[in-house]
Amino acid sequence: MELDGPLIPKKKNSSLKVVALLSYLANGFWALMFLLLFLGCIINAGKVEEVVQMDGVFEGLIYVMAGISIVMVMISILCIYGLSELVKGNKSGTRIYLICNSIWVLLVFYASAGSFVYITLGLVSVIFMLIIMMLSKDNQLEESNIKA
């Protein structure tokens, strides 16, 4: 087997992997928390109705919270999936991660009501999004230089 030119080893972007690992941990944590909230809503929905006696108002709100919890679990899982695709080198992973994390940030800012904790969580997510965008752009530039 003859080679036309020297092989250039593919350079791995270790900083992208570190940021992705931190994002995996954070998104996994939030997926677990919202899954626990969902289970708590489902288990306690009937019990709240027995205690409060308000013609189903609280039970309906609990089911709304259960629905929101499932949506947040799905967003966290999609963020993890997008990151795994990004680390593999697929450009679609960046889009999936950024879209899902943007939805997360919007919901966090909407729910903040001026709370310092929520605003801080939202800003941390925005910083992670910016870092991921920079690192994914650098990773794409390195791959295009290697191919050229």
Side-chain angles (χ1 to χ4, degrees):
M1 181 166 102
E2 270 184 49
L3 299 175
D4 293 337
L7 289 176
I8 301 172
K10 189 173 181 179
K11 189 177 178 184
K12 301 283 185 184
N13 194 344
S14 60
S15 54
L16 178 63
K17 289 184 178 182
V18 170
V19 172
L21 178 66
L22 291 174
S23 293
Y24 287 145
L25 292 173
N27 284 303
F29 171 78
W30 287 115
L32 180 64
M33 290 297 110
F34 280 107
L35 187 61
L36 290 175
L37 179 62
F38 170 75
L39 293 174
C41 288
I42 297 301
I43 291 170
N44 294 319
K47 294 177 184 173
V48 170
E49 185 64 29
E50 293 170 4
V51 173
V52 178
Q53 302 294 328
M54 296 249 343
D55 298 329
V57 172
F58 283 108
E59 185 175 8
L61 290 175
I62 286 179
Y63 286 125
V64 168
M65 284 300 299
I68 291 171
S69 298
I70 285 296
V71 169
M72 295 307 291
V73 168
M74 290 171 39
I75 287 173
S76 295
I77 290 171
L78 284 172
C79 281
I80 292 170
Y81 172 74
L83 281 169
S84 66
E85 290 297 310
L86 174 65
V87 170
K88 290 178 190 174
N90 296 337
K91 292 179 186 178
S92 63
T94 307
R95 285 187 222 114
I96 293 170
Y97 176 77
L98 291 176
I99 289 170
C100 292
N101 212 14
S102 297
I103 293 169
W104 162 261
V105 168
L106 290 174
L107 289 173
V108 167
F109 283 146
Y110 177 74
S112 71
S115 171
F116 177 74
V117 173
Y118 284 106
I119 292 172
T120 304
L121 286 174
L123 290 176
V124 167
S125 293
V126 168
I127 290 169
F128 263 84
M129 287 171 45
L130 292 173
I131 291 171
I132 291 286
M133 283 190 315
M134 288 184 337
L135 292 175
S136 67
K137 187 171 279 196
D138 290 344
N139 196 30
Q140 290 169 3
L141 288 175
E142 286 175 5
E143 286 178 5
S144 65
N145 288 338
I146 289 173
K147 289 178 185 176

